């Protein structure tokens, strides 16, 4: 990305990502009350898949800078859906043993990050 657009764009993309992630985290908590958890999770999966396919098919050029911002915003919305809905689901499924459930979730999440870092 920095080769096609310059280093100064990285900070702007990260700011947009953070803002969209925060707004979507708040928003999808309310949206879930109206349409349910499964449609929200399916929307997150569809967003992730579409962004991944777009990134694989797209070639950056100086005339397509807006695409970087759009893809970052969509990825942030998908991440917000996954983070909020999975944590809420764990809270609902394991009401009698929340500490163990969230500890186990974080253990496997961290293990996944470690495995991805090693490979």
């Amino acid at each position: 990305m920095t080769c096609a657009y310059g280093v100064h764009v990285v900070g702007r993309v990260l700011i947009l990502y953070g803002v969209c992630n925060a707004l979507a985290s708040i928003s999808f908590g309310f949206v879930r009350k109206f349409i349910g958890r499964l449609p929200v999770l399916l929307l997150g999966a569809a967003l992730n898949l579409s962004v991944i396919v777009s990134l694989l098919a797209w070639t950056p050029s100086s005339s397509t800078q807006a695409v970087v911002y759009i893809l970052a915003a969509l990825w942030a919305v998908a991440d917000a859906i996954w983070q909020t809905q999975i944590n809420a689901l764990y809270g609902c499924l394991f009401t009698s043993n929340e500490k163990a459930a969230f500890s186990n979730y974080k253990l496997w999440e961290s293990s996944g990050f470690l495995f991805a870092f090693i490979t």
Side-chain angles (χ1 to χ4, degrees), residues 4-97:
Y5 308 115
V7 161
H8 62 281
V9 174
V10 175
R12 293 179 193 154
V13 168
L14 290 175
I15 290 169
L16 176 70
Y17 179 90
V19 168
C20 289
N21 195 300
L23 293 175
S25 292
I26 294 168
S27 301
F28 279 101
F30 294 111
V31 169
R32 186 204 53 85
K33 292 178 185 176
F34 297 109
I35 65 172
R37 183 170 284 121
L38 184 60
V40 172
L41 287 172
L42 290 175
L43 173 64
L47 283 173
N48 267 139
L49 185 62
S50 64
V51 171
I52 289 169
V53 169
S54 298
L55 285 171
L56 289 172
W58 172 59
T59 303
S61 67
S62 59
S63 63
T64 59
Q65 186 171 353
V67 176
V68 173
Y69 293 104
I70 292 168
L71 292 176
L74 291 174
W75 190 269
V77 171
D79 179 64
I81 290 172
W82 288 117
Q83 291 299 319
T84 57
Q85 297 306 311
I86 295 296
N87 282 319
L89 181 63
Y90 268 49
C92 292
L93 291 177
F94 303 103
T95 55
S96 62
N97 205 358

